[in-house]
Amino acid sequence: MRVLLALGLVAGLVPATHALGLRINWTSSMPLGLYRKVPAHLERGEIVLICLPEEIAEVGRQRRYLPLGNCPEGVSLIVKEIVAIAGDVIELQEEFLAINGVVVDRTPLRSFDSLGRPLDHVQPGRRLVADGEVWVLGSERSRSWDSRYFGAVPVESTVASAKPVLTLGSGAD
C-alpha cells in the first residue's frame, strides 16, 4: 500500500514540478534533488540543463544512460556544471583534467561503464574550447557521463540554468 501511495505521489509531483519551472534530478552524477529552472548563464561554475545533440543523445539512449524525456531527441535533459567556456584550454589525460593549466579533477577516465561495456572517451590531449561551446562535468566525477566522454556541447543545447532548491548529498550513489 505504501509503495502505491509513493508511486502516486511521484506521478503527481513530476507534472507539477514542470509546471512550476522545477526539475527533479534522479541521476547520480549530480546531487539528487529539486532544481529551479532560470535563464541560462553560460559561465564557469554554473549548473545547467542541457538537451544533448542528436548524436550524443542517441548513444545515451542506446546505452540507457539517459531516460526518456522531452528533449527533441526523445531523452531527458541532463544536469551538469559548466567547467570551461570558449577560449579555455582543456587538457584531458587518463589521470586528470586541467583547465587553463589548473588541474580541476583527478578522477581517472573509465574504459568501461558500470555494466562492463567499453566506454569511449575524448582523445587525451590539449584542445581549445571553441566559440559556441562549453565543457560540462557532473559533480560526482566517477559516475558522470559528461564532456570527458562526449566532448564539448554547443551552447544552443543549453536550455536553462538550474538552481538547487532541495538536494541530498553530493551526487554519489
Side-chain angles (χ1 to χ4, degrees), residues 7 13 17 28-29 40 42 48 60-61 71 100 112 119 126 129 136 159 161 168 171:
L7 288 174
L13 182 61
T17 59
S28 61
S29 68
L42 302 177
V48 291
R61 179 188 11 253
C71 287
N100 298 325
F112 298 93
L119 181 61
R126 296 179 109 188
V129 180
V136 296
V159 173
S161 286
L168 305 171

Side-chain angles (χ1 to χ4, degrees), residues 103-121:
V103 174
V104 297
D105 184 57
R106 292 193 180 278
T107 305
L109 289 174
R110 294 174 298 154
S111 298
F112 298 93
D113 68 12
S114 61
L115 296 178
R117 299 173 293 189
L119 181 61
D120 291 334
H121 55 75

Side-chain angles (χ1 to χ4, degrees), residues 128-144:
L128 181 68
V129 180
D131 285 340
E133 294 181 339
V134 293
W135 264 60
V136 296
L137 295 180
S139 63
E140 179 53 46
R141 310 286 203 262
S142 66
R143 299 275 307 155
S144 181

Side-chain angles (χ1 to χ4, degrees), residues 23-35 47 79 139-140 143 163-173:
R23 165 83 162 85
I24 299 172
N25 178 50
W26 302 98
T27 70
S28 61
S29 68
M30 291 293 286
L32 302 173
L34 191 60
Y35 293 79
I47 298 172
V79 182
S139 63
E140 179 53 46
R143 299 275 307 155
K163 300 297 180 191
V165 173
L166 177 64
T167 59
L168 305 171
S170 64
D173 283 340

